[in-house]
Amino acid sequence: MLNVPTLWTVFVVNFLALGVIWAYVTRSYPNFAAARFWMASAFVGAAGAMTALIRLFVASPLPLLLGAGGVIAASCLAAMGIQRFYDRPVSWRLMTATGCLSLLGVVLFMVGFEHMQLRMLSYTLGQALPLVLALRLLLSPEGRVSPGAKLSGIVILSIIAILLARTAGNLLGYDLSARAGGQAHAIMVLGLLFLSMTLNFGFLLMAMDRLRGEVADLALIDDLTGVANRRHLLQRLSEECARSERSGEPFSLLVIDLDGFKTINDTHGHAAGDACLRHFTLMAQTRLRPGDMLARTGGDEFCIVLPSSSLREAAAIARRVLEVCRQDAASCSGRDIPIAISIGVAEWDRGIGEFPDRLMANADHALYAAKKNGKNDFAVYDPAPPLSPESVGTVRTFA
């Protein structure tokens, strides 16, 4: 025989433990806002269950009402955590209105005039509606890629199924409320206890997926400038080469080197050199299109990947990047450090295939030509004509 007070006690203990876990996550990752809502949901749910247990010792409906309010609030906070996890605005007004109207219905049909079916319907709506509103995020294309989101979505659907079964039972004349007790109510409490804990484990998996993704992103970002690093660049170039190999559509690459960067470091110090690298990054990004990728490959060397761009289009972008640096250098005064750059431009072709190092070598070849031409310039690598396979590519420079 299942004992309902014992089940509610287990509910309290388990949700206090979950609250402590979420509190630790919140402390360790203060920018992870969803954890704060899930922590609050666990503690509020535990408080609601603990308050509901007091009804065993107090002949008053107040503990039961407070307990119902706690469980409804816990459901709202859990749903708000899902919204925050997916960077959606938290529906404070909607959730507050849902919780208050639901609790008002419970009070009305318990204290105003006794009507078990309507009371339980109000209670069920308060628990289920916030979860239903958040369910669409878990089942969205963004949510379906996460195992934790899939688990959470399945658990929420199961919770809603139990709540609907309880509502149907009440409407058919069976009192499945907490005041009636009974084995049917105990079984439902056990099922909801298990599912609520599983839901929190789903949230934990979602958190782990998110944090692992953030760590992976950090591994692809240059610490100094905030743009992609060499590892990210090579991944992107491999993807673009494979895509071009399949479709035949070319793309282009710019290789950029800051002229005289060693002199800047030796004369003004490494802090000034770092400031120049960050300043160049900001200038270059103003001349790029959505989808273009700027990467720092090391030291004063940068690359720009230009998807679906011909050699002519890449040369135009190289000219724009070069011009913004020239204009900035012309406006320097006093202790400002002018930045000059050289750029090599190359386009993917069938001879490069799926080997990005060949494309980088072509762009480097053009870069050396730009340097040789007097720096503060860009040069374009022209592949050998198809009728002369034994000849090497040529380079055109631009002043």
Side-chain angles (χ1 to χ4, degrees):
M1 298 283 290
L2 293 173
N3 183 277
V4 175
T6 301
L7 291 175
W8 278 103
T9 302
V10 173
F11 185 98
V12 171
V13 172
N14 279 282
F15 270 73
L16 285 175
L18 288 169
V20 170
I21 292 172
W22 283 119
Y24 183 79
V25 173
T26 301
R27 178 182 174 85
S28 301
Y29 305 97
N31 294 328
F32 187 46
R36 293 196 291 271
F37 287 95
W38 291 332
M39 175 188 68
S41 174
F43 281 133
V44 170
M50 192 181 302
T51 305
L53 280 173
I54 300 176
R55 79 183 191 280
L56 300 174
F57 311 101
V58 178
S60 168
L62 183 60
L64 200 58
L65 291 173
L66 293 176
V71 174
I72 292 171
S75 180
C76 291
L77 288 167
M80 292 160 74
I82 295 172
Q83 292 174 334
R84 196 66 190 88
F85 180 85
Y86 288 104
D87 298 320
R88 301 298 195 276
V90 175
S91 308
W92 282 102
R93 291 183 179 180
L94 178 60
M95 294 298 177
T96 302
T98 300
C100 290
L101 288 174
S102 174
L103 190 58
L104 182 62
V106 173
V107 173
L108 178 62
F109 299 120
M110 178 185 290
V111 180
F113 63 94
E114 176 63 28
H115 196 295
M116 181 272 296
Q117 289 86 353
L118 293 179
R119 182 181 77 244
M120 292 302 297
L121 180 61
S122 299
Y123 180 49
T124 299
L125 287 175
Q127 290 178 274
L129 187 57
L131 296 176
V132 170
L133 294 175
L135 184 61
R136 61 184 180 83
L137 293 174
L138 297 173
L139 301 180
S140 66
E142 184 180 1
R144 285 197 294 268
V145 301
S146 167
K150 290 181 181 178
L151 175 61
S152 300
I154 293 171
V155 170
I156 287 178
L157 288 172
S158 302
I159 290 174
I160 292 171
I162 291 180
L163 295 177
L164 289 175
R166 184 179 65 184
T167 301
N170 287 324
L171 293 175
L172 291 174
Y174 300 97
D175 190 349
L176 301 177
S177 65
R179 295 178 69 177
Q183 285 300 292
H185 173 70
I187 291 172
M188 288 190 174
V189 170
L190 179 62
L192 291 173
L193 169 62
F194 170 77
L195 290 173
S196 299
M197 292 177 58
T198 307
L199 180 60
N200 273 271
F201 286 124
F203 292 160
L204 284 170
L205 285 175
M206 290 167 62
M208 291 170 60
D209 289 339
R210 171 66 59 84
L211 296 173
R212 184 169 57 246
E214 291 180 356
V215 171
D217 289 342
L218 288 175
L220 301 176
I221 298 298
D222 177 60
D223 291 337
L224 177 63
T225 60
V227 299
N229 60 16
R230 184 178 183 84
R231 179 182 178 185
H232 195 181
L233 171 72
L234 293 177
Q235 288 182 4
R236 179 67 180 273
L237 284 176
S238 296
E239 294 170 359
E240 293 294 337
C241 284
R243 185 179 296 112
S244 293
E245 183 74 9
R246 292 192 302 269
S247 65
E249 182 182 28
F251 74 98
S252 296
L253 176 70
L254 308 185
V255 174
I256 304 172
D257 189 71
L258 271 65
D259 297 329
F261 185 71
K262 184 178 184 302
T263 302
I264 293 176
N265 278 334
D266 293 343
T267 305
H268 302 280
H270 288 279
D274 290 347
C276 287
L277 293 174
R278 287 192 291 266
H279 185 54
F280 166 73
T281 299
L282 294 175
M283 287 192 296
Q285 287 176 322
T286 64
R287 295 300 184 266
L288 301 184
R289 308 159 303 179
D292 296 341
M293 189 184 83
L294 173 65
R296 181 185 176 212
T297 55
D300 61 332
E301 298 173 355
F302 292 83
C303 286
I304 299 176
V305 181
L306 304 172
S308 304
S309 298
S310 65
L311 196 63
R312 182 182 297 275
E313 292 169 329
I317 292 175
R319 185 177 289 107
R320 288 163 56 183
V321 174
L322 185 63
E323 285 301 320
V324 73
C325 291
R326 287 174 174 174
Q327 292 169 10
D328 182 78
S331 64
C332 287
S333 61
R335 301 182 63 180
D336 294 337
I337 302 174
I339 296 175
I341 61 172
S342 296
I343 306 176
V345 185
E347 179 186 26
W348 179 92
D349 59 32
R350 289 291 184 184
I352 292 170
E354 297 188 17
F355 301 97
D357 55 318
R358 297 177 181 175
L359 179 62
M360 295 182 69
N362 291 346
D364 279 335
H365 189 63
L367 173 65
Y368 297 147
K371 291 277 191 182
K372 187 177 179 181
N373 195 48
K375 302 182 180 181
N376 199 23
D377 192 6
F378 78 93
V380 172
Y381 181 88
D382 277 343
L387 297 179
S388 305
E390 72 283 354
S391 63
V392 297
T394 58
V395 174
R396 289 182 288 130
T397 58
F398 301 81

